[in-house]
Amino acid sequence: MKPRRGGGRRSGLSPGRVLAASILAEVESGRRLDVAWEASGAARSPERGWIRTLVYGTVRFRGRLDHILSRLAGRDPAAFDREVLVALRMGAYQILEMGGVPAYAAVSEAVEQVKETRKRAAAGLVNAVLRKVASNPRPRSLFPDAERDPEGYLATWGSHPRWLVRRWIAAFGPVGARALVDANNREPDVYLRPVGQRPVVAERTLAEAGLCRSGSRDHQWIALDQGTDPAAALSLVPGVIQDPAASLVVDHVSPPTGALVADLCAAPGGKALALSEAAGCVVAADLSERRLRRVVQGVRRLGEGAAIALRGPGRRVWAVAADARHPPVRRADAVLVDVPCSGTGTFRRHPDGRWRVRPPDIRKLAAVQRSILEGAATVVPRGGLLVYATCALEHEENEGQVQDFLKRHPDFRIEAGPAPERFLDENGCLVVLPHESGFDGAFAARMRRARD
Ligand SMILES: C[S@@+](CC[C@H](N)C(=O)[O-])C[C@H]1O[C@@H](n2cnc3c(N)ncnc32)[C@H](O)[C@@H]1O
């Protein structure tokens, strides 16, 4: 839903709800949630926290909300027009999950919301369905039983697509899949990894400014207090906002001091910037020029200076638009390919991802990943390092991909990196699982090319 032109609001609909509805409508038409959020300007609203809880929560619990709505409306929510669906989901989320919103207010605002759109004739239906939601004291009884029907329970109450639930039950068992789904439905913490400053010093600075508690540092990462504006933390401490899972991938690479590192899928650049601490020079390449701008901004922010070019004096991170299948360097001591993937390890942070990814994507992505790995391997010299990383949990994108690569390239061998042992599998690959770590999911294989 778009706010009315000329700024006039004929109804009493709050600006926060208008913004939330417009973001959710965009997501419904296929835009990424983080992109729609940024473009909306909601981050500058005084109601920022409330809008974010409403928008991210409505997307995260879409499966749960749709199940309730279908039971109480007597039809599949997919059959509703987009404006009606958004109003119903937002209303149901406020009634069921947002303690601070009285049910009568959520119902009447949802009715107003629909009246403001070209679907005003549906106002009566929205009113009737949401009143049923508000007067249903035990919504859990509308859901499949977790023990008898784990798949049905995780797809509805757990709010994940059924095909993915089925996959995860096969991979992790019903108990593991349930723990993973629960972990994905939690709000993630925000972490800062200092770059160019010792973590202990950075933590002290942030704690003194009231942005984190002392003792919130673990390894290189510092958990910021809830509600802290990341930009405020970055203005005090040089670094990157990065989940510990991504930080662990950086640690797993650990290039030799002074090495030439090629990060061939680098944007938006968190890992490239963190790698620049030890490396002599990082070539940060990405296919997307638009996304590469984020790398350049990051480098500028860290005060290093950068250019979209390969050569130049005194620069340590070079942002280059290039296809990893045809790398923009002849050779590099260490090559990282943090490949495009299904992102099934990052559903806490990107709750819309679970609804966007489809079964055929896994196969298509695996083919892209394979060709990127092949291209990357061509610039790894004898004795050099190739690190393959994803933020996915799927076998075809992780262990399966690496096993196939090693069969085609017997001159490469996996070696355990310096990441903490509890995150290494029996082969020495980094495996971070959201339900075991409380972090995002990540996978990384560190492969050394034989010297002869
Ligand atoms: C998972 S993201 C990388 C995240 C990044 N390493 C970081 O830490 O911020 C994958 C990236 O691969 C890029 N990409 C996709 N296909 C590519 C290709 N053929 N060559 C180079 N980059 C590619 C995408 O544009 C995207 O930025």
Side-chain angles (χ1 to χ4, degrees), residues 11 32 40 58 73 105-106 150 235 242 261 283 358 372 374 406 413 429 432 441 444:
S11 73
R32 283 179 58 121
S40 72
T58 301
S235 70
Q242 189 174 63
V261 177
V283 175
R358 304 261 179 239
I372 288 180
E374 285 300 315
L406 293 174
R413 289 237 189 303
C429 290
V432 188

Side-chain angles (χ1 to χ4, degrees), residues 95-272:
I95 293 166
L96 297 170
E97 309 285 343
M98 282 178 85
V101 181
Y104 68 84
V107 176
S108 69
E109 291 269 350
V111 170
E112 275 301 313
Q113 192 175 319
V114 170
K115 282 189 184 162
E116 293 258 305
T117 72
R118 63 195 166 91
K119 296 291 165 198
R120 49 180 305 117
L125 175 136
V126 168
N127 186 36
V129 173
L130 288 182
R131 276 168 177 265
K132 280 194 202 169
V133 175
S135 62
N136 200 313
R138 296 191 57 237
R140 264 189 111 133
S141 64
L142 300 174
F143 288 83
D145 180 76
E147 304 302 325
R148 277 200 300 273
D149 178 9
E151 183 183 310
Y153 170 83
L154 294 178
T156 55
W157 184 262
S159 193
H160 277 65
R162 193 173 279 268
W163 70 271
L164 206 46
V165 164
R166 215 172 284 141
R167 227 173 200 275
W168 287 351
I169 289 177
F172 304 111
V175 175
R178 184 170 175 179
L180 174 55
V181 160
D182 286 347
N184 287 346
N185 287 338
R186 278 184 215 119
E187 193 58 50
D189 288 330
V190 177
Y191 296 87
L192 185 147
R193 177 180 173 128
V195 176
Q197 187 174 83
R198 285 195 305 134
V200 62
V201 176
E203 186 198 15
R204 202 179 312 130
T205 308
L206 292 170
E208 278 168 12
L211 303 184
C212 79
R213 262 151 296 180
S214 45
S216 49
R217 181 183 62 82
D218 189 8
H219 293 272
Q220 287 85 342
W221 53 83
I222 300 163
L224 301 180
D225 277 354
Q226 269 204 339
T228 294
D229 178 5
L234 288 172
S235 70
L236 295 176
V237 167
V240 290
I241 298 297
Q242 189 174 63
D243 189 84
S247 264
L248 284 163
V249 172
V250 173
D251 295 343
H252 203 56
V253 179
S254 287
T257 308
L260 169 62
V261 177
D263 180 352
L264 297 180
C265 297
K271 296 189 189 72

Side-chain angles (χ1 to χ4, degrees), residues 264-271 286-288 291 322-324 338-340 372:
L264 297 180
C265 297
K271 296 189 189 72
D286 201 280
L287 195 56
S288 161
R291 285 170 62 84
D323 189 328
D338 185 21
V339 293
I372 288 180

Side-chain angles (χ1 to χ4, degrees), residues 326-347:
H326 310 285
V329 290
R330 287 236 175 94
R331 57 165 288 285
D333 305 312
V335 177
L336 169 64
V337 277
D338 185 21
V339 293
C341 69
S342 61
T344 50
T346 59
F347 287 166

Side-chain angles (χ1 to χ4, degrees), residues 195-196 257-261 272-284 299 302-307 310 312-319:
V195 176
T257 308
L260 169 62
V261 177
L273 295 178
L275 283 167
S276 72
E277 226 174 6
C281 174
V282 178
V283 175
V299 175
L302 283 175
E304 301 216 19
L310 245 184
R315 308 201 192 262
R316 289 182 49 216
V317 178
W318 292 100

